[in-house]
Amino acid sequence: MLSKLNAPQREAVKYLDGPVLVLAGAGSGKTRVITHKIAYLVEECGILPTHIAAITFTNKASREMQERIAKLLPGRPLKGLTTSTFHALGARILRQEAKLCGLKPSFSILDSSDSTAIVADLTKDHDKAHIRAVQSRISMWKNSLVDPGQAMNEAEGPLEIAAALNYAEYQRTLSAYQAVDFDDLIKLPAELLDSSPEALERWQGRLRYLLVDEYQDTNHCQYRLLKLLAGARAAFTAVGDDDQSIYAWRGADVENLNLLTKDFPLLRVIKLEQNYRSTTTILKAANSLIGNNPKLFEKRLWSDRGHGEAIQATATRDGEHEAELVVVKLMAHKFDHRGTHKDYAILYRGNHQARAFEQQLRTHKIPYLLSGGQSYFDRAEIKDITSYLRLIANGDDDPAFIRAITCPKRGVGSTTLEALGNYAGSRHVSLFAAAFEAGAASHVNPKQLEGVREFGAFINRMEWRATREPASQVLEDLVKAIGYESYLFDTLDPREAETKWANVRDFIDWLSRKGEEEGKNLQELTQTVALITMLDKQEEDIDAVQLATLHAAKGLEFRHVFLVGVEEGILPHRDAEQDGRLEEERRLMYVGITRAQQSLHLSWCTRRKQGKEWRDCAPSRFIAEMGDDLKISGGKEGASPDKAAGRAKLAQFKALLSSA
């Protein structure tokens, strides 16, 4: 089983005498170590799968692990093996310990937009940036295990004080709704295991060996949960890379690597430095760059994949010229190497940079996929409609009830929902069920209760039709009955309303087609909608160039990478130095470089348009930090070739393509 592993990988798999930190450099086979260690624990050590938990940060990583483990142990029953995200594990603990947490077992999990709506209602503010700032501050407090009282005592400045005041109200609202938010899925289990010896003993007994992927991305709360579950036995393997810690903005703390060495004196540190992904040229540049950051653990990636192509670095005239040049270079490179579109990625610091590249790719009829932006199913208008569908499928879905009954507005506000939530909590039933109980009349204003019950009766009628009539007809009648089109045009400017309504129409048409093709009614379709996301599509099977932010590209690899906009003010970000984030920006550049397997192309602009003004740009300091083995072209003179000559060269290249 271990014959295909290198020496450090084998050591990491076989070491069981205490806690292990595997420092896994980019492309060094960290997933292979985790999956082989699970197989080794089951096959060689006789540990039951039900006592093992592998914790990841994404559902995709979790699925990939499950598939790999099944291949390593063909025919072995793996029932009970936990491979899940931190949040899924936290939800499992909460479901089983709901009573100890003061929750009903069918408590609801609010997503980010549900939470935003509550914060917006509490702040009485229409400034989206302020609402996001308050929500973000509350999230950071939760990730640091800071309760509302502590937050109030520690708050400094108007924003923090406002956030602290809203934090207490926000928690009271969640409690009334018998709901938790995303951050609570880690915070509440950590607090429970900290305060309940009974629950702690139960979960330490169930999960006897822990493996944690992407450990450098853990926040304070996640580390606390890990430490509690590990206990004195400390039977765990943490796999991470301090050079790829790029999520401080969402609470990740690279200091957790240092804490491991302090909290677990017997910690064994094993370094994986052989890279199986990239050429020596690419790794040399990556090592040179990241060497400018202070190190807790020294490591240096190496590869036996050969020297490879030189790294190309090109100065371009402006953003439009950069996009044109990159796409033409991509086409020429693909032609020369007889490659496919999916061999290529264009990576950038921020989503706003994508548009010019999209335009050029469309102009040249090159298929592309865009990631790192907002998922189709995360759009407010789609979530509004799906809240009705979720409620039709499951009356106990409280977040869906809250969203549907308040959007469009129908005179039911937070006071009514809080009163109904308190009553539902005392009765341990859903909001929907509580509304129809006789006792609700003594808790909720009669006029408001009448409106809630009318809404409930409408949902019941739709539920009856959903199993008996074509999905397309029920959907059309549903959207018409709630007046969603009018609601959009009454509350938004015409252009935004048109865009959102077009998205709703696309969604309805897509669901209707799906119903006809698969012979499913709306009830059956709705039960699968929650499982369908744009990110779950098998993008690997689509021959298309990948456009992605550097954050979204982490964990991915491509034969050829174009890293664009590598200039001061973008990468590193203009505020990074004064905010003390320069080291994280350097790690972000390092992540971008190490996505490339065979070739890497860098580009920057000598000037860039900002609003109506032009500003001069300088190449990123990170380019100089990559060492001398770069082929640099362009410049203020070279970056402004004659347009006619450029067009002629492109026409010549297209002719070559068409004759091939």
Side-chain angles (χ1 to χ4, degrees):
M1 185 191 295
L2 308 183
S3 61
K4 292 183 180 178
L5 303 184
N6 63 35
Q9 288 173 335
R10 274 197 302 276
E11 182 188 1
V13 168
K14 295 177 78 173
Y15 186 77
L16 297 171
D17 294 334
V20 188
L21 171 61
V22 180
L23 282 173
S28 64
K30 67 181 178 64
T31 306
R32 180 184 289 186
V33 166
I34 294 172
T35 53
H36 277 73
K37 187 149 194 172
I38 292 170
Y40 184 77
L41 289 168
V42 173
E43 188 81 0
E44 302 295 328
C45 306
I47 297 179
L48 294 174
T50 190
H51 292 317
I52 301 170
I55 307 170
T56 68
F57 274 82
T58 66
N59 290 320
K60 183 180 177 184
S62 178
R63 285 195 302 271
E64 184 184 338
M65 271 189 200
Q66 285 174 326
E67 289 165 5
R68 288 208 201 179
I69 295 161
K71 285 179 182 175
L72 287 171
L73 296 173
R76 284 295 298 260
L78 295 172
K79 189 178 179 184
L81 174 67
T82 299
T83 55
S84 73
T85 62
F86 264 105
H87 292 91
L89 176 61
R92 178 182 158 197
I93 294 172
L94 282 186
R95 291 277 183 220
Q96 294 184 30
E97 307 290 352
K99 195 172 180 182
L100 285 175
C101 298
L103 293 165
K104 60 181 183 180
S106 60
F107 66 84
S108 299
I109 300 169
L110 303 185
D111 64 16
S112 179
S113 62
D114 294 325
S115 300
T116 301
I118 294 172
V119 172
D121 196 47
L122 292 173
T123 58
K124 310 291 186 207
D125 199 322
H126 297 294
D127 183 350
K128 289 181 181 177
H130 178 71
I131 292 165
R132 279 196 300 270
V134 169
Q135 189 177 3
S136 175
R137 186 62 261 183
I138 291 172
S139 177
M140 292 295 251
W141 277 323
K142 288 192 175 193
N143 289 333
S144 300
L145 290 171
V146 173
D147 64 31
Q150 289 173 273
M152 198 67 251
N153 291 334
E154 297 169 10
E156 295 178 358
L159 175 63
E160 281 204 352
I161 291 169
L165 288 168
N166 282 292
Y167 185 9
E169 284 295 305
Y170 176 75
Q171 283 306 101
R172 195 162 65 85
T173 304
L174 290 190
S175 179
Y177 289 170
Q178 280 288 292
V180 300
D181 65 16
F182 208 53
D183 299 312
D184 287 330
L185 293 176
I186 312 294
K187 176 176 177 283
L188 294 179
E191 290 175 340
L192 171 70
L193 298 184
D194 222 356
S195 62
S196 170
E198 174 196 348
L200 181 61
E201 185 180 351
R202 189 159 46 242
W203 284 94
Q204 284 180 346
R206 285 182 194 176
L207 305 178
R208 296 180 190 172
Y209 202 95
L210 302 171
L211 301 101
V212 182
D213 190 17
E214 304 286 9
Y215 176 77
Q216 77 282 348
D217 293 336
T218 55
N219 58 38
H220 175 70
C221 198
Q222 287 161 334
Y223 177 67
R224 183 66 187 152
L225 182 61
L226 167 66
K227 191 179 172 188
L228 285 162
L229 287 170
R233 193 169 61 241
F236 70 81
T237 296
V239 182
D241 181 8
D242 50 337
D243 292 334
Q244 295 188 74
S245 179
I246 58 172
Y247 293 114
W249 51 276
R250 68 180 190 198
D253 189 353
V254 72
E255 180 61 20
N256 283 348
L257 284 161
N258 200 21
L259 277 178
L260 274 184
T261 62
K262 292 177 181 175
D263 291 343
F264 300 95
L266 298 177
L267 183 76
R268 171 74 69 97
V269 178
I270 299 169
K271 300 177 186 178
L272 303 185
E273 296 174 293
Q274 182 175 359
N275 174 286
Y276 293 92
R277 176 187 298 159
S278 307
T279 63
T280 300
T281 299
I282 291 166
L283 294 183
K284 184 181 172 187
N287 286 330
S288 176
L289 170 79
I290 207 65
N292 290 277
N293 273 2
K295 294 282 191 169
L296 180 61
F297 304 99
E298 281 295 336
K299 70 175 186 307
R300 193 167 184 83
L301 295 180
W302 62 275
S303 166
D304 59 8
R305 291 173 59 84
H307 195 71
E309 295 181 36
I311 296 172
Q312 305 284 337
T314 309
T316 63
R317 187 173 60 250
D318 52 39
E320 191 178 320
H321 177 235
E322 180 184 38
E324 184 181 358
L325 194 73
V326 163
V327 171
V328 169
K329 272 190 171 186
L330 188 155
M331 291 164 66
H333 193 278
K334 176 179 174 292
F335 179 79
D336 288 343
H337 292 76
R338 301 293 188 269
T340 60
H341 290 116
K342 65 182 177 183
D343 292 338
Y344 294 84
I346 299 173
L347 307 181
Y348 36 78
R349 176 66 175 81
N351 279 311
H352 65 280
Q353 293 168 261
R355 181 171 293 181
F357 296 95
E358 285 192 79
Q359 287 172 344
Q360 284 295 325
L361 289 166
R362 283 199 299 266
T363 297
H364 295 296
K365 296 183 173 57
I366 298 172
Y368 67 90
L369 289 166
L370 187 67
S371 67
Q374 186 184 42
S375 163
Y376 177 79
F377 287 92
D378 282 339
R379 291 172 180 167
E381 62 273 20
I382 303 302
K383 291 177 82 72
D384 287 344
I385 302 304
T386 55
S387 68
Y388 282 86
L389 304 185
R390 283 163 49 192
L391 193 57
I392 288 168
N394 175 18
D396 290 332
D397 190 333
D398 284 359
F401 178 91
I402 294 162
R403 188 171 190 127
I405 201 169
T406 56
C407 190
K409 299 283 185 190
R410 49 171 55 80
V412 177
S414 58
T415 305
T416 302
L417 288 173
E418 186 176 341
L420 185 62
N422 284 327
Y423 174 70
S426 69
R427 296 281 298 140
H428 303 290
V429 297
S430 68
L431 295 168
F432 191 94
F436 288 98
E437 289 195 355
S442 59
H443 290 74
V444 183
N445 177 289
K447 186 179 178 184
Q448 303 301 321
L449 183 60
E450 185 183 343
V452 173
R453 286 176 171 171
E454 279 179 13
F455 169 76
F458 166 69
I459 294 296
N460 283 334
R461 289 195 299 274
M462 285 293 164
E463 181 187 358
W464 187 91
R465 293 182 59 191
T467 57
R468 294 167 174 82
E469 299 177 21
S472 56
Q473 188 59 56
V474 184
L475 275 167
E476 294 291 350
D477 291 349
L478 170 69
V479 175
K480 188 175 180 181
I482 65 175
Y484 196 76
E485 183 180 11
S486 300
Y487 159 72
L488 289 176
F489 282 90
D490 288 346
T491 55
L492 303 170
D493 67 70
R495 183 176 292 179
E496 188 178 2
E498 282 171 14
T499 301
K500 287 182 178 290
W501 180 241
N503 288 334
V504 170
R505 287 301 329 166
D506 285 346
F507 179 59
I508 290 170
D509 293 344
W510 171 74
L511 260 188
S512 298
R513 281 197 310 274
K514 195 171 179 65
E516 287 175 20
E517 290 166 5
E518 299 180 9
K520 289 184 176 178
N521 60 42
L522 188 60
Q523 182 84 305
E524 292 165 329
L525 284 174
T526 301
Q527 288 164 351
T528 62
V529 164
L531 304 175
I532 303 167
T533 69
M534 289 303 189
L535 299 178
D536 280 338
K537 287 187 176 177
Q538 297 302 307
E539 295 184 349
E540 296 83 4
D541 296 334
I542 301 171
D543 186 25
V545 174
Q546 180 74 60
L547 267 64
T549 62
L550 289 167
H551 285 100
K554 186 169 172 286
L556 304 178
E557 57 185 44
F558 307 92
R559 283 194 175 89
H560 312 289
V561 168
F562 287 85
L563 187 46
V564 302
V566 189
E567 58 206 53
E568 290 293 308
I570 294 181
L571 185 64
H573 189 272
R574 63 179 177 274
D575 301 326
E577 199 155 18
Q578 79 178 55
D579 292 348
R581 291 186 290 108
L582 192 59
E583 289 171 19
E584 177 152 337
E585 291 289 302
R586 188 175 282 113
R587 292 195 291 267
L588 197 56
M589 177 77 173
Y590 175 83
V591 165
I593 293 169
T594 54
R595 297 314 91 198
Q597 295 173 318
Q598 296 174 15
S599 75
L600 177 65
H601 309 253
L602 311 176
S603 61
W604 69 92
C605 300
T606 55
R607 64 176 196 149
R608 193 176 284 275
K609 199 167 192 180
Q610 203 167 31
K612 293 182 179 179
E613 303 295 319
W614 286 93
R615 62 175 178 83
D616 289 335
C617 304
S620 170
R621 69 192 76 184
F622 297 153
I623 296 175
E625 291 177 2
M626 289 169 66
D628 301 326
D629 200 11
L630 275 70
K631 280 192 174 180
I632 298 177
S633 59
K636 291 216 169 179
E637 296 79 20
S640 306
D642 177 72
K643 282 188 178 181
R647 281 196 295 270
K649 188 174 181 180
L650 180 60
Q652 186 180 19
F653 174 66
K654 284 181 175 177
L656 183 65
L657 280 178
S658 60
S659 64

